[in-house]
Amino acid sequence: QVQLVESGGGSVQAGGSLRLSCVVSGYLGSSYCMGWFRQAPGKEREGVATIDQDGRPTYADSVKGRFTTSRDNAKNTLYLQMNSLKPDDTAIYYCASDSSVRCRNNWATEKNYNYWGQGTQVTVS
């Protein structure tokens, strides 16, 4: 059974930092493109970042320069380091696994991802 489990969310003041983790189990998660999404209250879920199996990331413009995603394939774990957090970053953050090995140009499209975590809340005040 495939599972993605996020952790590391919490409450932080503006300008602070948080590091999210996503542990993948049940399949060779290290072989696939992985993504981070978030959903703020009253808004649609949006793509935050993606990272391919070789560790090459792509970011949404809204987080570029502040967020960094990385992966440890040996540990089947994905990370999202979030710095200089703003109140607009408040959302539930999800990790997801693409059904493709290679990340796509339309990486922020939800239907590309076939496995999702349960989400972790990030609140910035």
Side-chain angles (χ1 to χ4, degrees):
Q1 183 178 356
V2 177
Q3 274 193 313
L4 282 70
V5 180
E6 301 98 337
S7 62
S11 296
V12 65
Q13 291 189 337
S17 298
L18 283 173
R19 188 194 196 202
L20 306 184
S21 299
C22 171
V23 178
V24 181
S25 61
Y27 79 116
L28 293 177
S30 61
S31 299
Y32 294 92
C33 174
M34 300 290 295
W36 287 100
F37 286 75
R38 66 185 181 185
Q39 187 166 22
K43 294 186 178 180
E44 294 187 352
R45 192 154 53 182
E46 63 175 359
V48 174
T50 192
I51 185 168
D52 69 13
Q53 60 177 323
D54 295 322
R56 289 183 291 257
T58 302
Y59 300 98
D61 288 343
S62 59
V63 305
K64 205 172 290 184
R66 300 188 298 121
F67 290 11
T68 302
T69 188
S70 60
R71 64 195 297 169
D72 184 336
N73 289 337
K75 296 181 179 179
N76 273 347
T77 301
L78 180 70
Y79 303 100
L80 184 67
Q81 177 68 42
M82 305 185 295
N83 298 329
S84 301
L85 283 162
K86 306 174 182 179
D88 284 349
D89 296 317
T90 295
I92 299 174
Y93 283 72
Y94 301 88
C95 63
S97 177
D98 197 327
S99 57
S100 172
V101 173
R102 299 173 66 93
C103 291
R104 312 164 198 252
N105 289 336
N106 62 337
W107 62 268
T109 300
E110 291 186 49
K111 65 180 181 181
N112 293 336
Y113 298 82
N114 53 350
Y115 296 111
W116 292 80
Q118 82 290 349
T120 186
Q121 177 70 48
V122 171
T123 302
V124 185
S125 60

